[in-house]
Amino acid sequence: MKRIFLLLLAIVLAACSAIPASEFDQNLAKWQDADISHYQFQLFIGCFCPFYEDMPLNIEVKDGKVFSIERADGTLVDSSDPSYQYFLEYATLDLLFAELGSEMVEAEEVIVTYDPQYGFPAKISIDRIKAAIDDELSLLVTNFEVLN
């Protein structure tokens, strides 16, 4: 009886390890394995929002924290700016992964394209409620560059 139990346990454990990781998990692992601590990128936030003319944002991240955010015209966005907190929600690639993971559970439709080299989400399209208008969000990451 003990042998049968051990055999069944081995089969169950082998089956669990044979389940392939999701595309999200594979790309998150790729991003984490790259271990990039200093980088910059441009972020375009598309939504029914008043700051369309500020896009794309130029963002620099160092050691997981936002170092700077600039509007398309080169002006700095600081904590006194009314849009700062909203921009900050998407201002690191780790935050984009967090947003994507949350939206994949909650939204009715999420379409994502990952960067083939580093795995970060390069293009995200979110429709939280398919029948609703004005709830869509798109996030586009371009001009990613590793800094020293």
Side-chain angles (χ1 to χ4, degrees), residues 74-89:
T75 59
L76 282 174
V77 178
D78 63 21
S79 59
S80 67
D81 189 290
S83 299
Y84 180 76
Q85 287 301 319
Y86 186 79
F87 294 162
L88 207 55
E89 291 180 36

Side-chain angles (χ1 to χ4, degrees), residues 115-127:
D115 178 79
Q117 183 175 1
Y118 296 110
F120 60 80
K123 185 177 182 182
I124 303 171
S125 177
I126 299 166
D127 191 352

